[in-house]
Amino acid sequence: MSLSLDSHAARMDRMYRYQRHIYDFTRKYYLFGRDTLIRDLDVPDGGSVLEIGCGTGRNLALIARRFPGCRLHGLDISAEMLASAEAKLGRNAPVLRVADATDFSAGQFGTDGFDRIVISYALSMIPDWEAAIDAAIAALKPGGSLHIADFGQQERLPGFVGTALKAWLVRFHVTPRPDLKEVLQERADRANARLEFRSLGGGYAWLATYRQAG
């Protein structure tokens, strides 16, 4: 890793060294859309799933229950969070790697690509988030899909709601990406892929699905 990436990893480890023990309980009240994303994955029988920024493994555990038999993989820049994921998932632990979301390949997991890739509330914490999208698209199999959930722009909520939320999020190094749809659409147009985009809760959260051409 470069010096800047090393410092990002160190910051994440510092932040989550103790938070990881209460992370799932505290986040379930405001990370909307994660369960909707999981329900919509439609993983093929025996298909492969990678979660980028898998954290404590909460989403991977739910994916395993909903799509038994799928092959799970996860990466996170924080070794502290992966320690929680390994403990949570136990004997059924997926293939987990400490890795940079902007610079990884499917080959690091011993495969040539993934059927589904999930990025749940992680792009808003990755400094070079567009590079993370590019790396994820590159790791998809033909016909695979990338599924994203993250903070929206609260576009149909009162202005003070968005202002207060963004001021609170910045304390946790979280920056919602206002041009997420445009960036994904540009990639989809370039690759002849299909983009599906919707908002939840008045724009509190955005869900995106990028479907790779077969």
Side-chain angles (χ1 to χ4, degrees), residues 35-163:
D35 293 347
T36 301
L37 179 155
I38 291 169
R39 285 196 299 270
D40 292 346
L41 282 177
D42 192 24
V43 182
D45 290 343
S48 56
V49 180
L50 168 69
E51 183 173 16
I52 296 173
C54 64
T56 64
R58 180 261 188 196
N59 292 336
L60 289 172
L62 292 178
I63 293 168
R65 287 201 289 272
R66 189 167 186 85
F67 303 101
C70 70
R71 292 172 288 121
L72 295 175
H73 310 75
L75 72 81
D76 204 288
I77 202 167
S78 170
E80 295 287 346
M81 289 296 254
L82 287 185
S84 286
E86 289 173 346
K88 178 190 296 289
L89 296 161
R91 290 186 305 170
N92 298 317
V95 179
L96 300 175
R97 297 281 185 269
V98 176
D100 170 21
T102 70
D103 184 24
F104 76 95
S105 68
Q108 291 174 247
F109 294 86
T111 182
D112 58 358
F114 300 98
D115 295 296
R116 302 289 184 267
I117 296 181
V118 171
I119 311 179
S120 173
Y121 285 91
L123 289 179
S124 51
M125 298 192 71
I126 298 171
D128 193 0
W129 62 277
E130 292 189 37
I133 288 175
D134 291 335
I137 291 172
L140 284 172
K141 286 183 176 179
S145 53
L146 167 62
H147 300 255
I148 296 170
D150 217 315
F151 293 104
Q153 290 297 295
Q154 301 79 52
E155 58 270 18
R156 294 192 303 279
L157 295 174
F160 72 87
V161 175
T163 300

Side-chain angles (χ1 to χ4, degrees), residues 12 18-19 22 41 46 58 123 127 147 161 166 168 185 188:
M12 293 299 100
Y18 303 109
Q19 278 194 46
I22 59 171
L41 282 177
R58 180 261 188 196
L123 289 179
H147 300 255
V161 175
K166 292 181 181 70
W168 181 68
Q185 189 65 65

